[in-house]
Amino acid sequence: MCTGACSKVIAVPIYVLALVSIICNIMLFFPDFDTKYAAEDQYGEKRITEEVKYMGGLIGGGIMAVIPAIHIHLTSSGKCCANRCGMFLSIGFAAVGVVGAVYSLSVAALGLSNGPLCYWTNQQNPIPNWGVPFANSTASYLSDKEMWKWCLIPENVVEFNVGLFSTLLVAGSLQLVLCSIQMINGLFGCICGTCGGKE
């Protein structure tokens, strides 16, 4: 397969993954599919998990992935007739995608590690209050579903956050792989031409 056609194969999944990342990040602002928590957070009462506000899925996995995907896709236009300069530029754009994917991955991993912000209680904390119950916990809440019951409000917020942050983690990992492949593909296209020497 010529490097120009390979660029198209790489670009299309990046579009899809960027869309998934943006949707996941937006959904994370509305735990329990309710807008009241976002509204309350806007007025100074912490109701949204802090890592959601870093917008790893929107900025890193979304915008920083879509811009390189557009250029990578353009290098495949004209049935492998993209020039060496275009392939060279795609290396830089793919590097931007790598940075965005790493940012999205880091935020998602941090979000999973710390857990959600919720109205919670347990035996050590008998008076319910808003906070991040799993951040300073000695046990891993991800492997102990009994701990999920600590969060009372929003309902099912742990499952909600784990599902969406895990999706962002997978999407970011795939974007990282695809953009890295495009950097190698762009290098080959720049050195050897986009179609086995046919320009």
Side-chain angles (χ1 to χ4, degrees), residues 12-157:
V12 173
I14 294 176
Y15 287 131
V16 176
L17 293 167
L19 182 62
V20 168
S21 296
I22 290 168
I23 291 170
C24 285
N25 202 145
I26 291 170
M27 286 178 66
L28 280 163
F29 278 99
F30 307 104
D32 200 23
F33 301 101
D34 198 329
T35 58
K36 72 177 181 180
Y37 302 108
E40 288 172 5
D41 192 87
Q42 193 176 6
Y43 294 111
E45 298 177 18
K46 288 192 175 182
R47 298 291 184 265
I48 303 294
T49 304
E50 199 62 31
E51 289 78 17
V52 175
K53 299 172 190 174
Y54 298 162
M55 297 198 194
L58 187 63
I59 296 171
I63 296 167
M64 289 182 75
V66 167
I67 294 170
I70 291 169
H71 183 80
I72 292 166
H73 196 178
L74 290 175
T75 61
S76 69
S77 63
K79 295 183 180 177
C80 301
C81 292
N83 58 28
R84 291 175 193 261
C85 180
M87 293 304 286
F88 177 74
L89 289 174
S90 79
I91 299 170
F93 280 101
V96 171
V98 167
V99 172
V102 169
Y103 178 62
S104 182
L105 270 169
S106 302
V107 172
L110 191 61
L112 280 173
S113 174
N114 291 337
L117 182 143
C118 62
Y119 188 69
W120 71 284
T121 183
N122 65 10
Q123 289 180 345
Q124 288 75 38
N125 182 59
I127 300 170
N129 65 304
W130 285 92
V132 185
F134 311 122
N136 300 316
S137 175
T138 53
S140 172
Y141 79 98
L142 291 169
S143 58
D144 185 0
K145 290 192 176 182
E146 282 299 309
M147 293 173 70
W148 296 13
K149 295 176 183 175
W150 294 1
C151 283
L152 307 174
I153 300 171
E155 193 176 346
N156 301 318
V157 69

Side-chain angles (χ1 to χ4, degrees), residues 154-197:
E155 193 176 346
N156 301 318
V157 69
V158 180
E159 293 93 326
F160 187 81
N161 271 34
V162 168
L164 291 173
F165 274 127
S166 296
T167 304
L168 283 172
L169 204 62
V170 171
S173 299
L174 292 172
Q175 285 175 332
L176 180 62
V177 170
L178 289 168
C179 287
S180 298
I181 291 171
Q182 177 56 31
M183 289 177 74
I184 297 166
N185 181 54
L187 183 63
F188 277 113
C190 181
I191 295 169
C192 306
T194 56
C195 232

